[in-house]
Amino acid sequence: MKTIEELIEAGVAGKRVFVRADLNVPLDGETITDDGRIRAVAPTIAKLAEAGAKVVVASHLGRPKGAPDPQFSLAPAAKRLGEILGKDVAFATDTVGDSAVATVAALGDGEVALLENLRFNAGETSKDDAERRAFAEQLAALADLYVGDGFGAVHRKHASVFDLPGLLPHAAGDLIATEVGVLKKLTDEVRRPYVVVLGGAKVSDKLGVIDNLLKKADRILIGGGMAYTFLKAKGHEVGISLLQADQIPVCLEYLAEAEKRGVEFVLPVDVLVSAEFPDLKGKTPANPDLVAADAIPADKEGLDIGPKTRELYAAKLADAGTVFWNGPMGVFEHPDYANGTKAVAQGLLDSDAFTVVGGGDSAAAVRILGFDENAFGHISTGGGASLEYLEGKTLPGLAALED
Ligand code: ADP
Ligand code: MG
């Protein structure tokens, strides 16, 4: 993989450099609630601009359905990127249309533009190779060189991630280089005990990684939505909690495999439950009940780990040598369900371990809950991407950056 230094050495002044970034930030209306992903890629953009490139930044945001949808506009990200860079960022109101063409044509050397959401175009995420390729060609017409630095999207076989680098001379940005360096550390030699904490809501996305981690980790702590499929697999009532019923056989296999390999597989012992999902906007008090993990009422759902589990997980983290954490322990967006996630974050900080936090919501949670992000070993900008890397999969967006 070529670095941007090598690209800069070969000459970028006056050239249009397409930077595939991941500016998929959480939004509350037009307010960015966590700008971590923008800050993470800003140095790459600044470096290219300083070297005299005309920098054309592109990203996806959320999951629009292949057509413009104002709630997923990148306009707030353009504004924030400008503030972080300390310079104007021109914003194109489309991705490959008249506005994009005019905005890129107007760029002077060292200037930066952001295109509108890539996913406003069906070609970006299309499963049809020809359709994707056609969109990639439209993108390629806007640039001379390509820099891949959208780590959070490298596991996606999308036009801007996978097809476009094949059409232009390309390099990997500094963020991707850093992220891959850290993940390599987790797959090669790890300081033990190696503790993995998994939670969050995307249960089916995350079960796969356990297969591989069972061969590497010493302890796996489960929280968040995924806990309930495991609890159900163990024969417990989980009420109306998040459940991936079709994954129960897989969960049972994992539990058996963990036992066979001597990997400690730890499930919540108590949980906070409620008959209703909390009000995340008004944040009205949720008044959850605390129950044992094997006594969830049939009409309630588990929304956070309980105090005994918090203490247990803190103890399991205390002597760790390495920790990888992906996925909040509960619905941390509501203060009544944030304590599990807080306890795990604090557990990471209290250990002497090399700590890696992955996942868009997990990374945001750490910052939103008031922790100092610099106190962690590494906060990854990619959840799915880091999990698939740890699963041992080939990531399309990394493969495409190879020479
Ligand atoms: P990440 O982005 O870190 O990979 P996910 O996207 O998988 O994490 O999950 C984050 C979301 O999971 C949060 O919005 C949180 O509210 C939700 N969540 C956590 N625990 C539960 C639970 N028990 N039930 C429902 N949602 C949950
Ligand atoms: Mg998420």
Side-chain angles (χ1 to χ4, degrees), residues 199-202 206 224-225 228 242 277 302-303 326-333 358-362 383:
K202 296 181 194 157
K206 297 186 183 198
Y228 303 94
L242 269 190
F277 197 81
L303 294 160
N326 175 292
M329 294 294 99
V331 183
F332 73 91
E333 296 90 339
D361 291 290
S362 315

Side-chain angles (χ1 to χ4, degrees), residues 315-339:
K316 298 284 180 198
L317 287 163
D319 67 340
T322 305
V323 182
F324 174 72
W325 172 28
N326 175 292
M329 294 294 99
V331 183
F332 73 91
E333 296 90 339
H334 192 287
D336 287 350
Y337 299 114
N339 289 326

